[in-house]
Amino acid sequence: MTGSGALRFLARRVLHSAVVLLGVMVVVFALVHLVPGDPVRIALGTRYTEESYQALRAASGLDRPLLEQFVSYVGHALTGDLGVSFRSGEPVTTTLLQRLPATVSLAVVGLLVALAISLPAGIWSGLHEGRLSDAVVRVTSQAGVSVPDFWLGQMLILVVAMTLGLLPTSGYVALSQDPAGWARHVLLPGLTVGLVAAAIMTRYIRTAVLEVAHAGHVRTARSKGLPPRVVTGRHVVRNAMIPILTITGIQLATILGGVIVVEVVFAWPGLGRLVFDAVAARDYALVQGAVLLIAVLFLVVNLVVDVLYSVVDPRIRLS
Amino acid sequence: MRRPPARRALTAGVAGAAAGMLLLSACSAGESVDLDGADGDATGASDLPVLRAAIAGEPDQLDPQSTSSYFAFQVLENVFDTLVEPDENLEMQPALAESWEVSDDQLTWTFHLRDGVTFHDGSDFTAEDVVYSYDRIVDEELSNAWKFAAVADVAAVDDLTVDITVSQPTPNLLSNLGGFKGMAIVEQGNVESGDITTAPIGTGPFSLASYSPGESIDLVANPDYWGGAPGIGGVHYTFVSEGSTAIAALQNGEIDWTDSIPAQQLEQLRGTEGVEVGTSPSNDYWYLALNEANAPWDSVAARQAVAYAIDRESILQAVSYGTAEENQLAIPEDSVWYTEYDEYDLDLDRARELLAEAGVTTPLTLDFLATSDYPETVTAAQIIASNLEPLGITVDIRTVDFATWLDEQNTGSFDLLMMGWLGNIDPDDFYYAQHHSDGGSNAQGYSNPEVDALLDAGRVETDDDARQELYAQAATTIADEASYIYLYNPSVVQAWSTDLQDYTARSDRAIRFRDVTLAGS
């Protein structure tokens, strides 16, 4: 790949992403306004006067025509101003940036846990198709996929936090503030997210390895008499890396997009809970901003995965 | 105030990467929560231990006059003061006002303010702050503006005297001014800078040290509090909506107090060593309302039929595991305004008679508006559906989120709904908005000139006994005509570590930490 090719690729992807983001804005804006439920009434409770209702409606700009609200929203969004949360009065951008570290922490730890389990398990299982170890992995991962995350979380709290007393049950500490405290708090939710993701990823990775193992070039390599270790390392795993990367990217993006149930169980201040609460309150600006941020995270993860494709497999060009 | 969101989820081969962190973390396990940010500029912060409290949700913001979230008031109860405040029996006592008197014509209330009170930033509290706070609620049409409906003017006489002029005798003025922290005295500069939503400044026993959205709120003791410095160093609030997690944290010694408690875990919690469970009958109530705009529910007899057909005992058990008190009127038994009433016993024959009397032809379908945000409404709806089945009434349960629920209620698209009212003190709070023809929360569309007259009279009657009589009459008429079908008063249920002393679960759900101490830690 040449330098200018990569640049052109990036430029095209950024342009592409901008179009996607605009689409996301239109859809989200339309959806949040279509959902029944009046944010002003929710914010006021029910025992209010008609004057209070009109005053808050006007103060929050909700009395303006929808199109006008949208145009002004997009205009401001371009400058990084995502509006003001209807309930808290805080800039949405500030709120989102405050939540991002917790979400990224949980996603990274969860993904590391998932990879640490699913990579060896999936590859081993794929290479030993039909053996007892393969069956064990398949059954375990099937069980893992079937276990609800809230139950897993509560069991971890019960065993690790309460019975063994090793870790706190819930809460969050910023990494920048207290790394040890951060680690103690992120472990249980991270394990929960990671174990669930590991179960899914193990199955994908096993399938990917199996497919490659049955492919013609691997059979050829084997028949040439290459040592199994070389066949496995150079041919099978390497070629299975593309689907593995894909599923890893998808899982990462999913976790970044919010694992609401896990966040609720562990009182984790991530984006998922924020969006959940914001939707319940019809906090339009906050919902729109959060979805936009999650969309950006998705696009970034996708872009990184695309770039990694060409690293893993030089035949894939960034074009 | 409509009950705000006050509610409330091993296998493991631990991976190598995780195991390393586990070891690292085990070393520092058991350390207590520190008040970050408060350390540096601590204004004489004491060495007293900090109380760790887990509340069931996060405040939307911290401006007491703007928020309607119970989670915000759980915190702000300890940060702000009102002119007067309810004691444990919900009678109004001096707070920022040391004393008050009413003119002979009942139209001027003079409040004498406490001298030497300062806000958390050190500035003096004066009569101007009271005028500013009340004017703001009225001028900006904040959600509590209705509490000033009878108030004509608020004026500072001198630095420590405030006159409130009302347009008619207003016996419930004190409970309107002190019933909850939505009527708190705020500081003008704090409001105008906009800081009040995240960094509020009050005159209360604790001041806000830091607020990390999504994570926690830290309060530190105010050594200059007019009621004396608190017996703890501060309060660290976390937001734990999952009740079983909060309980685990309490049992594990990670928190000292919580009200995030699933009813079904109450029994188990009661038997836990080191944990104290406090319950108090609350002055909240839950009710059913039939939409009188929809036939046949415009008929009193048809509504009464439903009232006779429902099995209150089963509903109570299912939604509260026996912690709530059955009640067929709004006001709970331990209130001085209580009226005895137990007309509606489960009686299907009577129900059938009444339906026939109303000329109702069955089968009939009834649209029950429930909301997932208050699971009790869904649980009760299921019981009510089976209660009404023998009468030939099919109940369609429609479960929506609370935002939609409010819309549907307001546009009258329901036959039957269940909801609760919270934060009532004066009898006017219990009945006027809900059952007066002009009431702001009369979604069921009840209108009875006789009841209107009683409720109007109750608003201006200054003799307590006469007032009691008026409300007793209004309340029984309302129940007789089944404007609301009252179900129960829920209990306030909270749990705390036995290290926490002198704390009481209050019937008005005000979480007050100023008088508590913390042993041990």
Side-chain angles (χ1 to χ4, degrees):
Chain A
M1 142 182 88
T2 63
S4 68
L7 271 183
R8 235 181 301 132
F9 168 79
L10 281 175
R12 207 135 33 83
R13 283 304 295 256
V14 168
L15 192 69
H16 176 74
S17 303
V19 174
V20 171
L21 285 178
L22 188 67
V24 168
M25 274 198 250
V26 173
V27 171
V28 172
F29 191 87
L31 278 181
V32 293
H33 283 87
L34 279 176
V35 172
D38 183 336
V40 179
R41 191 168 303 132
I42 300 163
L44 288 175
T46 44
R47 225 181 269 181
Y48 55 85
T49 60
E50 180 61 23
E51 290 77 29
S52 302
Y53 179 83
Q54 295 304 343
L56 183 55
R57 206 172 137 76
S60 48
L62 288 168
D63 55 341
R64 293 184 298 157
L66 263 193
L67 186 67
E68 194 185 317
Q69 289 184 48
F70 180 68
V71 170
S72 122
Y73 180 72
V74 174
H76 284 105
L78 287 177
T79 65
D81 171 10
L82 295 174
V84 170
S85 160
F86 182 72
R87 295 190 306 154
S88 69
E90 283 289 285
V92 168
T93 316
T94 311
T95 306
L96 292 177
L97 291 180
Q98 275 162 344
R99 292 296 180 104
L100 201 54
T103 293
V104 172
S105 289
L106 183 56
V108 168
V109 172
L111 192 71
L112 286 178
V113 171
L115 283 174
I117 296 168
S118 63
L119 267 183
I123 292 172
W124 178 271
S125 179
L127 291 176
H128 296 79
E129 192 194 2
R131 307 247 196 99
L132 180 65
S133 55
D134 177 36
V136 169
V137 169
R138 273 189 300 138
V139 170
T140 314
S141 63
Q142 180 61 49
V145 172
S146 320
V147 166
D149 48 2
F150 71 88
W151 183 83
L152 180 62
Q154 289 184 334
M155 286 306 112
L156 284 173
I157 288 176
L158 202 66
V159 176
V160 182
M162 297 194 66
T163 310
L164 302 176
L166 289 175
L167 293 170
T169 55
S170 57
Y172 170 77
V173 172
L175 176 62
S176 55
Q177 207 177 80
D178 171 10
W182 171 83
R184 292 174 52 226
H185 284 90
V186 79
L187 253 178
L188 285 190
L191 265 179
T192 309
V193 168
L195 288 172
V196 171
I200 299 167
M201 288 172 66
T202 302
R203 296 166 63 80
Y204 273 93
I205 292 170
R206 176 181 176 275
T207 310
V209 169
L210 266 182
E211 262 172 29
V212 179
H214 288 295
H217 69 275
V218 173
R219 243 177 303 146
T220 312
R222 269 207 197 95
S223 59
K224 277 199 301 191
L226 282 176
R229 183 194 298 269
V230 176
V231 176
T232 305
R234 194 178 294 163
H235 297 279
V236 179
V237 173
R238 185 131 192 202
N239 282 300
M241 277 318 281
I242 296 295
I244 290 174
L245 256 178
T246 308
I247 182 65
T248 306
I250 291 172
Q251 282 300 319
L252 177 63
T254 305
I255 304 172
L256 281 171
V259 274
I260 299 170
V261 174
V262 176
E263 289 176 3
V264 167
V265 169
F266 291 97
W268 192 259
L271 283 175
R273 257 176 84 200
L274 185 72
V275 179
F276 185 78
D277 290 345
V279 170
R282 304 290 187 270
D283 195 337
Y284 293 158
L286 193 48
V287 174
Q288 285 157 197
V291 174
L292 207 58
L293 175 63
I294 291 168
V296 169
L297 293 175
F298 257 89
L299 291 169
V300 169
V301 170
N302 255 316
L303 184 61
V304 171
V305 168
D306 279 354
V307 171
L308 286 180
Y309 280 163
S310 67
V311 174
V312 173
D313 187 345
R315 286 171 306 175
I316 298 177
R317 291 289 195 80
L318 292 182
S319 56
Chain B
M1 166 173 52
R2 180 73 62 176
R3 188 182 166 104
R7 298 150 294 117
R8 1 297 156 260
L10 175 82
T11 63
V14 177
M21 289 162 111
L22 199 71
L23 281 175
L24 172 81
S25 60
C27 308
S28 54
E31 92 192 82
S32 68
V33 179
D34 57 335
L35 266 178
D36 55 280
D39 297 340
D41 56 346
T43 48
S46 59
D47 296 331
L48 292 167
V50 169
L51 174 76
R52 300 154 303 169
I55 55 179
E58 183 178 3
D60 55 352
Q61 51 144 307
L62 298 174
D63 176 350
Q65 296 187 344
S66 294
T67 183
S68 66
S69 156
Y70 176 60
F71 304 132
F73 290 118
Q74 287 184 283
V75 176
L76 298 176
E77 175 68 29
N78 298 294
V79 176
F80 283 93
D81 288 314
T82 40
L83 224 46
V84 293
E85 63 180 18
D87 61 15
E88 277 172 42
N89 303 316
L90 306 187
E91 280 166 35
M92 291 300 155
Q93 302 297 336
L96 286 176
E98 234 168 1
S99 63
W100 54 88
E101 65 253 354
V102 194
S103 65
D104 290 339
D105 62 2
Q106 298 284 334
L107 296 181
T108 306
W109 292 68
T110 303
F111 291 90
H112 304 284
L113 307 183
R114 209 174 281 278
D115 196 4
V117 175
T118 53
F119 281 98
H120 297 143
D121 64 352
S123 61
D124 288 330
F125 158 75
T126 68
E128 283 307 327
D129 296 304
V130 177
V131 175
Y132 173 76
S133 297
Y134 290 171
D135 282 352
R136 179 185 180 223
I137 292 174
V138 174
D139 293 347
E140 295 182 20
E141 304 283 4
L142 300 179
S143 57
N144 295 311
W146 64 273
K147 284 182 182 276
F148 285 107
V151 172
D153 186 47
V154 181
V157 178
D158 57 48
D159 266 4
L160 293 175
T161 315
V162 174
D163 271 355
I164 296 183
T165 319
V166 286
S167 53
Q168 57 182 25
T170 311
N172 64 344
L173 183 72
L174 291 182
S175 73
N176 271 346
L177 295 182
F180 82 128
K181 292 292 184 271
M183 307 299 279
I185 304 306
V186 297
E187 194 197 48
Q188 184 166 2
N190 192 223
V191 171
E192 284 172 356
S193 66
D195 289 345
I196 191 165
T197 56
T198 50
I201 292 174
T203 55
F206 295 90
S207 61
L208 191 110
S210 68
Y211 175 19
S212 316
E215 287 173 53
S216 58
I217 292 175
D218 286 307
L219 306 184
V220 285
N222 171 10
D224 304 322
Y225 183 55
W226 54 264
I232 50 175
V235 188
H236 176 77
Y237 290 92
T238 48
F239 323 125
V240 185
S241 52
E242 178 55 43
S244 52
T245 304
I247 288 178
L250 180 65
Q251 292 174 334
N252 230 15
E254 291 166 42
I255 57 168
D256 305 303
W257 181 96
T258 189
D259 67 344
S260 181
I261 303 166
Q264 64 269 29
Q265 281 184 258
L266 208 54
E267 267 322 299
Q268 173 227 334
L269 199 60
R270 280 207 172 99
T272 306
E273 206 182 322
V275 171
E276 192 167 330
V277 176
T279 58
S280 164
S282 75
N283 50 335
D284 310 342
Y285 67 88
W286 287 82
Y287 64 92
L288 299 170
L290 283 153
N291 189 348
E292 299 175 26
N294 297 356
W297 312 116
D298 51 345
S299 142
V300 172
R303 297 199 298 269
Q304 287 172 336
V306 173
Y308 280 109
I310 57 168
D311 180 0
R312 279 195 174 67
E313 191 51 43
S314 300
I315 296 173
L316 228 79
Q317 274 303 322
V319 300
S320 82
Y321 290 78
T323 58
E325 296 279 338
E326 176 179 337
N327 196 357
Q328 300 201 10
L329 292 183
I331 300 180
E333 196 171 343
D334 50 315
S335 162
V336 293
W337 302 99
Y338 173 71
T339 303
E340 207 173 322
Y341 183 91
D342 59 356
E343 177 56 35
Y344 298 109
D345 289 326
L346 179 58
D347 186 345
L348 281 184
D349 293 334
R350 182 96 181 90
R352 285 196 188 92
E353 274 170 41
L354 284 161
L355 279 184
E357 190 184 306
V360 175
T361 49
T362 50
L364 178 70
T365 306
L366 181 148
D367 170 37
F368 193 124
L369 181 63
T371 169
S372 44
D373 292 53
Y374 299 102
E376 46 271 79
T377 64
V378 183
T379 311
Q382 288 158 352
I383 295 171
I384 290 165
S386 71
N387 288 162
L388 298 185
E389 206 185 322
L391 299 181
I393 300 174
T394 307
V395 175
D396 271 347
I397 304 171
R398 197 153 48 95
T399 308
V400 297
D401 73 350
F402 192 52
T404 312
W405 189 96
L406 283 168
D407 265 5
E408 300 283 85
Q409 183 210 227
N410 245 42
T411 51
S413 82
F414 67 94
D415 288 328
L416 178 63
L417 55 76
M418 173 176 168
M419 197 28 76
W421 285 99
L422 159 138
N424 314 285
I425 292 188
D426 189 82
D428 185 69
D429 304 337
F430 285 89
Y431 295 112
Y432 193 96
Q434 298 88 333
H435 306 286
H436 194 285
S437 304
D438 301 327
S441 306
N442 185 352
Q444 74 279 22
Y446 179 68
S447 177
N448 178 340
E450 188 200 331
V451 169
D452 289 354
L454 289 167
L455 293 176
D456 285 332
R459 278 202 156 172
V460 296
E461 177 56 62
T462 52
D463 178 76
D464 276 357
D465 292 336
R467 237 183 139 219
Q468 159 84 39
E469 189 48 43
L470 288 169
Y471 282 108
Q473 244 189 50
T476 45
T477 311
I478 286 164
D480 282 343
E481 302 200 324
S483 168
Y484 274 6
I485 299 169
Y486 296 97
L487 297 172
Y488 58 89
N489 300 110
S491 280
V492 176
V493 181
Q494 300 167 355
W496 56 87
S497 149
T498 45
D499 287 343
L500 177 61
Q501 272 139 32
D502 300 321
Y503 179 80
T504 26
R506 291 168 53 96
S507 61
D508 62 353
R509 294 183 194 274
I511 312 296
R512 278 192 199 163
F513 289 133
R514 63 195 184 204
D515 299 323
V516 306
T517 52
L518 208 50
S521 54

